[in-house]
Amino acid sequence: AQSVTQLDSHVSVSEGTPVLLRCNYSSSYSPSLFWYVQHPNKGLQLLLKYTSAATLVKGINGFEAEFKKSETSFHLTKPSAHMSDAAEYFCVVSEPTGFQKLVFGTGTRLLVSP
Amino acid sequence: DAGVTQSPTHLIKTRGQQVTLRCSPKSGHDTVSWYQQALGQGPQFIFQYYEEEERQRGNFPDRFSGHQFPNYSSELNVNALLLGDSALYLCASQTGGADQPQHFGDGTRLSIL
C-alpha cells in the first residue's frame, strides 16, 4: 500500500525567505504525487502534480517540487514566501491505476511572519 | 465555469440521526470521490463513484453510503450518526485517467451533538 510521510507538522518562515516542506513517499508502483494547499475553512487546491514526466515539477504561485526516486522524496519549495502562502499543505500519493484513490499525508502548517 | 459545489456548507445533527450531503462536480467531470477530514487531520478516502456505481471504497463502515446520478452529481449518506462522524466532508471530481487531478469543493462541515 502506498503512503506519504510529511516530516514537519509546522514550518515557520519570514516573508521573503525560502520555503521547504518535506515529504517522503512509499509506493509499490511508480506513483503519482501531488501537493495540495488548504486555506482555513476551504477545500483543497492543487498546487502541482508529478506523473513520471519531468522530475522537477513547477506549480502555481511560484511553488515547485522535485521527485527523487533514490530518496523516495517529493519536497515542496518556493524561493520567497508571501504572507498569503500561510496555509495547510498536504503531500498526496496515488497509484497510477484505472481509478485514483488519493492517500494524504497528515499535513504541514506553514506560518509566515512579516 | 463553476467548480465543485457542495451543499449544505454547515450542518448540525444529533447522535443516531441520518444525514445526506450533496455534491455537483465540475463541468465535464464524470467521477466523484468523497473524503472525510477530521479536525487537524488529512482527508481520508471514503469512496468513489463512476458511471453511477461505487468502484472503490476506503475503510469506512456500511453506515456510509452514496449515490451518483445520471448528471454525475452525487450524494453521501451517513446513518446512525456517531460523535466521531463530526468532520469536514469533501467532494472531489475528475475526468479521464488516474493521472488527472481531482478538484475539490469547499466541503460540508458536519457537527454531531
Side-chain angles (χ1 to χ4, degrees):
Chain A
Q2 67 275 24
S3 66
V4 290
T5 301
Q6 293 186 244
L7 301 172
D8 307 289
S9 60
H10 293 81
V11 170
S12 295
V13 300
S14 298
E15 191 174 22
T17 64
V19 174
L20 170 63
L21 306 183
R22 299 182 295 165
C23 172
N24 287 346
Y25 71 90
S26 173
S27 177
S28 302
Y29 304 84
S30 179
S32 292
L33 292 161
F34 307 82
W35 276 97
Y36 280 86
V37 61
Q38 186 176 36
H39 292 274
N41 299 313
K42 287 293 203 179
L44 295 142
Q45 181 184 20
L46 178 69
L47 283 177
L48 50 82
K49 65 175 182 176
Y50 166 78
T51 54
S52 75
T55 57
L56 183 62
V57 182
K58 294 189 182 299
I60 62 171
N61 300 337
F63 285 95
E64 63 181 37
E66 185 172 9
F67 175 74
K68 292 187 177 180
K69 186 175 181 179
S70 61
E71 299 176 9
T72 62
S73 69
F74 190 58
H75 301 335
L76 181 70
T77 61
K78 182 174 181 178
S80 176
H82 191 272
M83 294 296 291
S84 61
D85 294 328
E88 189 86 17
Y89 291 79
F90 292 97
C91 182
V92 184
V93 65
S94 77
E95 292 183 352
T97 55
F99 43 84
Q100 187 189 78
K101 170 188 170 183
L102 299 183
V103 177
F104 285 77
T106 52
T108 297
R109 175 65 57 87
L110 177 64
L111 306 169
V112 183
S113 56
Chain B
D1 177 26
V4 179
T5 58
Q6 294 186 242
S7 63
T9 54
H10 294 83
L11 203 51
I12 300 174
K13 293 286 188 178
T14 57
R15 283 177 296 175
Q17 285 189 311
Q18 177 266 342
V19 68
T20 297
L21 311 182
R22 295 176 175 83
C23 172
S24 293
K26 184 178 170 67
S27 178
H29 288 185
D30 57 9
T31 302
V32 173
S33 301
W34 287 91
Y35 295 81
Q36 180 195 66
Q37 185 178 20
L39 199 61
Q41 302 293 319
Q44 303 252 325
F45 175 77
I46 302 175
F47 42 51
Q48 183 180 86
Y49 278 85
Y50 174 69
E51 292 188 342
E52 302 180 50
E53 290 194 358
E54 180 184 298
R55 67 175 179 180
Q56 193 174 24
R57 188 178 184 91
N59 188 25
F60 279 81
D62 291 344
R63 298 187 297 109
F64 289 77
S65 64
H67 189 77
Q68 185 179 34
F69 299 94
N71 67 353
Y72 307 120
S73 67
S74 177
E75 290 181 350
L76 164 66
N77 300 292
V78 187
N79 295 322
L81 287 166
L82 303 173
L83 292 178
D85 295 332
S86 295
L88 180 67
Y89 289 84
L90 295 163
C91 171
S93 72
Q94 70 182 111
T95 188
D99 64 341
Q100 294 301 309
Q102 294 187 13
H103 296 253
F104 284 80
D106 286 343
T108 294
R109 173 72 63 186
L110 176 62
S111 299
I112 311 301
L113 303 179

